[in-house]
Amino acid sequence: MAKLKLSRRNFLKASAVTGLFAAGASQKGPVMNAFSTAANAEEENVEQGEWIPSVCQGCTAWCAVEIYRIDGRATKVRGNPNAKANHGHSCVRSHLGLQQVYDPDRVKQPMKRTNPNKGRDEDPEFVPISWEEAMDTIAEKIMELRENDETHKFSVWRGRYTSLNGILYGNMPKIIGSPNNISHSSICAESEKFGRYYTERYWGYADYDHENTLYEIFWGGDPISTNRQVPHTASIWGDLKSRATLACIDPRLSTTAAKSDEWLPVMPGEDGALASAIAHVLLTEELWHKPFVGDFTNGENQFVAGQEVDEDDFEEIQTHGLVKWWNLVLKDATPEWAAERSGIPEDQIYRVARGFGKAAPRAISFSSPGSSMTIRGGYTALAQAALNGLVGSADAEGGVISNGIDVPTNDWPEIDDYLDDIAEAGLERERVDHGGRLELPALKDSESGGVKPTNTVADAMLNEDPYNLKVVMSYWNNFNFSNQGTERWDEALAKLPFMVHMTVNPAEQTHYADIVLPVPHSMFERLSPVDGSNGNLHRHLHMQNKVIESPFDIRVDETEIPWMLGEALEEKGFSNLIDYFRNEFRDPETGDAPTNAEEFNLIATKQYTEPIWDPSFEKDGDTINGWEELLEVGTWNTAKYEFRQKWDGNWGTETGQFEFYSETLKKALEEHADKHDASVDEVMEACNLEARGELAYVPHYEPAMRVGDEDEYPFIFTEHRSKLNREARSANTSWYQAFKDVDIGDEAWDDVAKINPKDADELGIEDGDEVKLTTETGSITVKAKRWEGTRPGVISKCYGQGHWAYGHIASLDRENQIARGGNNNDILAPVHEALSGSGARHGGQTRVRIDKV
């Protein structure tokens, strides 16, 4: 493969030579059981092949799956029957992995750039190189940083990852001497986590007791299609629908909205008004759950619209600050007030609020990034989480579980003995991502700068604020496609002196790389543990098995590549990294130290998972008798969660209670303000928030802040995810394109901007017209789709199309960089929800103009 830009014919020839099609060209296909007359058709099929456990990482549910392997070739995917979090099911996204692993456009061997000029219009002129040359080149660049006391200008960029990420992403940059390990997490969902943390101190994805609930409100979420726990939710949806009342709040008629009892097509970004009004109704109509929240000392409801309440008149049980919240916000947040802001009729607000309250405590307020990843979405997430407190469903049967169930694993060995003076000096430098600055608190775990904002890195590099990066190793990501304001990333990557991209497919970010390293497809070609997700009241650890032998010259990104780099650094006089690997990692069964990269991957996996498979470790969950049994079963599940573990003073907040008035947030904001010799009001102003004084510490409505003048950009842009989108990695599969119309309102093999027919009539736009979407940030050209499922005044579009460098299916013309449709991030403004550090990409913060081409 001489260059990245090969013709399709030559690329396919190269693929065949490397063994892509030869791997199974002469093999028999699986028996078509649907047409078999044999009673034991499934047994016939088993005789041909075997089911091998692995993990689908198409979303953050990280479901355990099994791969059917026939004569060394992966042919089929199903859910792992031993998995309790997903009932042994998998969703449609897992099956797309089959086309991904056998994609002829994959990176097949290490390559290096020979054209020193970087830019979208520059041909990288990649040529094949050996792994030895690749590692030697990377090591040389790192040694230059060490010699110049610039180790802080080294960075590791992480996209999706496994439990082995603590090696490459966590400890390797520290040993080299850099604080700059940058994760994709802030462009994923941090604002959603913010709401739960500052009410009940849990930073993570919640679990939901769908099997026992009686009412659910979905805030911008589409859990049977694209949110987390899709196999679990979809598999029990029929039972849920027959038992519970479902309300979906979304400006777009999603699949979940279409199957719900109530659809509330909210004005994007105004969800906070709805949440406040629902809380108002719960209190004024005495629908709060008194056994959880408490009651007035005289037994008479004093929550009357517009009237303040004496705090001494209400006695709380599991909560803190209800009356403060009422006096500051809720007394005036009537459904009539909310209707003007949200666009939802007041009678529907009353109906949903009453139904939600009457279902207490078996009622769920289901938060999602769709409603909180806005410029002011942190307080929206806080209000959504607070509703679970009002109805007593927090940490309760039929409610929301925001509690970390421990999966027993070993910590990674300490690195202190391997940090030299150069590394320690580099670790003292300011991070490049701006997290923790006055205007970007990024308050994870109450720590200023606890979240590492991703999208600010491009600005830091362009403005050299606080400095530019010089050497980057990046894996499982595509930042100049997946971050808002993509043009900034193109410019930043063109300026970056040296970048290594570890990837399955060449993508937009690869176009700017100096070294390209082929890595395994996570579901088929690597041995790795994946733990930490939850569902169905269980947490789990799953095993990715090496299901097939890859026909390509790949290495595991998180273990084998750091090992080989450690060896290359040792040859240049810096042995600390490889010494750490050799000295601190041991096979728990044999005591052997690793001697090569493949052994290191195996030993690191066994060492990390030892408490799971070694029966001598006490744990509350499945019994696994030995390493081989873990590989065979493929999953370990905790015992089912026991409710009310956080009740009675165990919430972990500053007060020990579920906080409506968040003393936890107050302390975090005050510490952040003190760090900058400022007041909390000045922090609010810097973060583009209207709250002042005590309002900063309670859930409240913040008017949507939008980028773009309404006269010039009259529509609000909102985006959604596809049922078929495997973390934005599906677009180069024909199944993704051919079945794209499973997303309501979308079209197969196309990319459409959905516009309400009323708006389309005014503009003279018909179905199939080419239209240009223009914002202050950029423009894209797509097809128009007249669709009643989009709220008037809103342009809705699915994310995932618009690739210009991902492959011959993702692009209309890969060689000439002609994209199929448009990338939403080309037009989305690069703004943040500052309190959580989350990118503000979902909730209508960008105004848009739509013009016929």
Side-chain angles (χ1 to χ4, degrees):
M1 186 167 135
K3 296 182 180 180
L4 186 62
K5 291 184 177 179
L6 292 175
S7 69
R8 172 156 163 70
R9 177 179 298 177
N10 289 337
F11 199 100
L12 292 177
K13 286 181 179 179
S15 302
V17 168
T18 57
L20 178 64
F21 300 114
S26 63
Q27 311 303 335
K28 295 180 179 179
V31 171
M32 297 186 68
N33 291 330
F35 301 98
S36 175
T37 58
N40 60 344
E42 187 64 27
E43 293 180 8
E44 289 180 32
N45 210 19
V46 170
E47 290 176 2
Q48 292 190 48
E50 57 184 331
W51 289 100
I52 309 295
S54 192
V55 186
C56 174
Q57 290 191 263
C59 75
T60 51
W62 293 346
C63 289
V65 297
E66 292 185 328
I67 313 298
Y68 195 61
R69 182 177 67 192
I70 300 178
D71 293 325
R73 191 170 178 87
T75 63
K76 192 176 181 180
V77 179
R78 71 180 184 188
N80 187 326
N82 300 304
K84 297 175 182 177
N86 59 349
H87 306 274
H89 296 290
S90 64
C91 79
V92 63
R93 289 195 291 267
S94 64
H95 303 284
L96 293 177
L98 291 167
Q99 287 200 327
Q100 291 178 318
V101 71
Y102 293 118
D103 185 347
D105 290 336
R106 283 185 60 174
V107 180
K108 300 171 176 63
Q109 63 193 93
M111 297 182 295
K112 71 176 181 181
R113 184 185 204 93
T114 59
N115 180 2
N117 300 315
K118 295 183 179 180
R120 180 162 173 170
D121 295 330
E122 294 286 345
D123 185 340
E125 298 182 8
F126 287 116
V127 298
I129 58 172
S130 66
W131 278 98
E132 290 74 18
E133 181 181 349
M135 292 301 106
D136 183 74
T137 303
I138 300 167
E140 182 178 335
K141 297 296 182 181
I142 291 173
M143 292 304 294
E144 288 176 4
L145 295 180
R146 290 184 56 80
E147 290 164 5
N148 296 321
D149 293 326
E150 293 184 313
T151 56
H152 57 287
K153 296 182 180 180
F154 172 78
S155 184
V156 173
W157 294 351
R158 180 186 75 175
R160 184 54 61 226
Y161 54 90
T162 77
S163 300
L164 300 179
N165 79 94
I167 297 170
L168 169 62
Y169 172 77
N171 286 340
M172 190 182 84
K174 293 183 177 68
I175 292 173
I176 289 171
S178 176
N180 290 311
N181 49 347
I182 305 298
S183 174
H184 79 294
S185 297
S186 72
I187 61 175
C188 186
E190 301 307 83
S191 60
E192 170 194 340
K193 300 173 186 176
F194 179 89
R196 285 187 285 270
Y197 186 86
Y198 292 104
T199 51
E200 51 178 308
R201 203 155 196 160
Y202 172 72
W203 193 277
Y205 298 127
D207 199 0
Y208 304 92
D209 188 13
H210 297 301
E211 293 186 323
N212 292 295
T213 196
L214 297 175
Y215 205 110
E216 293 206 37
I217 299 176
F218 302 105
W219 295 94
D222 191 8
I224 55 176
S225 296
T226 64
N227 210 272
R228 286 164 277 285
Q229 306 177 6
V230 172
H232 164 52
T233 309
S235 66
I236 66 170
W237 186 263
D239 173 67
L240 176 64
K241 183 81 172 73
S242 65
R243 172 178 23 86
T245 301
L246 309 176
C248 187
I249 300 172
D250 199 316
R252 174 186 69 100
L253 184 68
S254 65
T255 302
T256 298
K259 295 179 179 293
S260 293
D261 300 283
E262 301 269 3
W263 175 38
L264 294 81
V266 66
M267 183 66 70
E270 303 289 352
D271 304 71
L274 275 180
S276 299
I278 290 171
H280 174 95
V281 174
L282 293 176
L283 295 179
T284 57
E285 300 196 4
E286 208 165 348
L287 294 173
W288 73 90
H289 191 58
K290 294 179 182 180
F292 182 84
V293 179
D295 199 2
F296 287 96
T297 55
N298 63 4
E300 295 182 8
N301 185 15
Q302 298 176 36
F303 291 126
V304 178
Q307 297 183 17
E308 290 195 359
V309 171
D310 189 330
E311 291 182 38
D312 292 335
D313 291 342
F314 195 96
E315 186 174 348
E316 294 182 78
I317 300 174
Q318 299 290 344
T319 65
H320 170 78
L322 176 62
V323 175
K324 278 191 174 75
W325 185 25
W326 168 264
N327 290 337
L328 287 166
V329 176
L330 298 183
K331 66 182 177 63
D332 300 316
T334 64
E336 292 79 5
W337 164 88
E340 295 178 3
R341 289 153 181 80
S342 66
I344 302 301
E346 59 194 64
D347 62 333
Q348 190 175 27
I349 300 175
Y350 275 111
R351 184 169 64 246
V352 169
R354 288 165 178 160
F356 185 69
K358 290 175 182 178
R362 299 180 183 234
I364 291 173
S365 174
F366 188 112
S367 298
S368 76
S371 60
S372 60
M373 288 184 75
T374 68
I375 297 174
R376 293 169 169 170
Y379 286 109
T380 298
L382 207 64
Q384 293 165 359
L387 290 177
N388 292 309
L390 281 181
V391 296
S393 66
D395 199 31
E397 185 176 9
V400 180
I401 309 306
S402 298
N403 199 4
I405 312 172
D406 290 335
V407 173
T409 55
N410 284 324
D411 294 331
W412 295 118
E414 295 294 330
I415 62 172
D416 292 350
D417 292 342
Y418 303 91
L419 300 178
D420 60 14
D421 292 342
I422 294 175
E424 289 181 346
L427 290 171
E428 291 298 317
R429 297 296 294 261
E430 179 185 356
R431 288 202 330 253
V432 76
D433 56 62
H434 298 176
R437 291 190 175 184
L438 176 68
E439 70 280 3
L440 193 57
L443 297 172
K444 179 182 179 181
D445 296 337
S446 295
E447 178 188 355
S448 174
V451 168
K452 300 173 181 180
T454 311
N455 204 12
T456 54
V457 174
D459 301 313
M461 293 166 64
L462 289 171
N463 301 323
E464 299 190 8
D465 175 23
Y467 45 79
N468 188 21
L469 296 174
K470 288 189 173 181
V471 178
V472 168
M473 296 185 70
S474 183
Y475 76 109
W476 280 27
N477 54 15
N478 193 20
F479 281 169
N480 60 327
F481 183 88
S482 58
N483 280 284
Q484 310 134 258
T486 57
E487 186 175 345
R488 300 157 41 256
W489 277 93
D490 285 341
E491 293 175 6
L493 293 177
K495 182 180 179 182
L496 179 61
F498 186 81
M499 180 177 69
V500 180
H501 199 203
M502 297 169 273
T503 184
V504 176
N505 277 64
E508 284 73 21
Q509 190 172 324
T510 318
H511 191 76
Y512 294 87
D514 297 274
I515 298 286
V516 184
L517 300 179
V519 297
H521 189 288
S522 60
M523 197 160 68
F524 302 95
E525 299 174 326
R526 66 187 293 162
L527 174 68
S528 297
V530 179
D531 75 297
S533 193
N534 50 32
N536 192 29
L537 306 184
H538 295 275
R539 209 165 178 89
H540 51 68
L541 180 142
H542 305 318
M543 290 300 301
Q544 288 174 334
N545 272 303
K546 192 173 183 181
V547 178
I548 63 172
E549 291 292 335
S550 178
F552 309 132
D553 190 12
I554 61 175
R555 300 290 188 277
V556 178
D557 37 41
E558 292 175 331
T559 51
E560 294 182 355
I561 290 176
W563 176 279
M564 292 188 297
L565 180 57
E567 290 181 321
L569 287 168
E570 181 182 36
E571 292 180 3
K572 296 183 183 299
F574 178 66
S575 66
N576 296 37
L577 184 62
I578 195 66
D579 287 345
Y580 171 63
F581 297 154
R582 289 171 178 157
N583 297 339
E584 303 296 335
F585 288 80
R586 292 291 183 273
D587 188 316
E589 292 184 301
T590 67
D592 293 341
T595 62
N596 58 50
E598 190 171 0
E599 287 180 3
F600 179 54
N601 182 78
L602 173 63
I603 289 173
T605 301
K606 293 179 71 175
Q607 183 170 314
Y608 181 81
T609 60
E610 181 187 10
I612 295 288
W613 54 263
D614 185 337
S616 68
F617 284 79
E618 292 187 10
K619 46 191 170 286
D620 192 11
D622 295 345
T623 298
I624 302 288
N625 294 302
W627 167 249
E628 294 299 328
E629 184 173 324
L630 176 60
L631 294 181
E632 181 181 351
V633 174
T635 182
W636 180 87
N637 306 273
T638 66
K640 199 161 191 175
Y641 182 75
E642 295 182 5
F643 302 111
R644 303 190 179 191
Q645 294 184 30
K646 299 172 74 172
W647 288 33
D648 300 327
N650 296 314
W651 296 91
T653 58
E654 288 299 309
T655 62
Q657 302 290 82
F658 185 101
E659 294 184 343
F660 297 122
Y661 180 95
S662 182
E663 300 285 356
T664 306
L665 178 58
K666 182 177 183 178
K667 182 180 179 182
L669 284 171
E670 288 177 345
E671 289 179 350
H672 177 73
D674 290 345
K675 172 182 171 181
H676 296 282
D677 194 23
S679 68
V680 172
D681 280 354
E682 288 173 321
V683 172
M684 294 290 105
E685 183 178 6
C687 295
N688 291 311
L689 293 162
E690 292 192 352
R692 298 293 184 270
E694 296 280 274
L695 199 60
Y697 314 129
V698 294
H700 66 272
Y701 165 70
E702 288 271 345
M705 183 176 182
R706 310 193 197 279
V707 177
D709 180 76
E710 185 173 359
D711 292 335
E712 186 174 358
Y713 306 103
F715 292 92
I716 299 170
F717 183 81
T718 183
E719 68 168 11
H720 63 94
R721 294 297 185 261
S722 170
K723 292 182 180 71
L724 306 179
N725 202 331
R726 288 180 53 84
E727 293 282 340
R729 295 178 178 89
S730 306
N732 205 49
T733 68
S734 61
W735 290 343
Y736 175 87
Q737 301 293 349
F739 298 108
K740 190 67 182 62
D741 51 0
V742 299
D743 298 312
I744 300 178
D746 278 12
E747 300 289 338
W749 292 99
D750 215 335
D751 192 21
V752 297
K754 296 177 281 288
I755 180 172
N756 190 279
K758 293 181 180 179
D759 295 328
D761 286 342
E762 292 183 7
L763 297 172
I765 292 175
E766 300 295 336
D767 274 344
D769 284 349
E770 278 201 348
V771 292
K772 178 181 283 189
L773 303 181
T774 305
T775 70
E776 283 192 355
T777 304
S779 64
I780 57 176
T781 300
V782 295
K783 297 284 184 65
K785 177 67 179 289
R786 295 164 61 96
W787 191 51
E788 295 85 349
T790 292
R791 179 187 173 89
V794 173
I795 304 298
S796 175
K797 183 177 171 298
C798 189
Y799 171 75
Q801 301 279 45
H803 284 285
W804 52 270
Y806 199 61
H808 69 284
I809 295 176
S811 309
L812 285 176
D813 185 341
R814 165 67 185 89
E815 189 166 352
N816 294 305
Q817 298 183 352
I818 300 175
R820 184 184 301 280
N823 179 6
N824 296 356
N825 285 318
D826 287 349
I827 62 174
L828 284 173
V831 289
H832 286 79
E833 196 292 304
L835 296 184
S836 67
S838 171
R841 59 181 303 150
H842 285 311
Q845 77 290 326
T846 302
R847 288 195 166 276
V848 63
R849 183 176 69 248
I850 181 169
D851 300 295
K852 289 178 65 173
V853 175

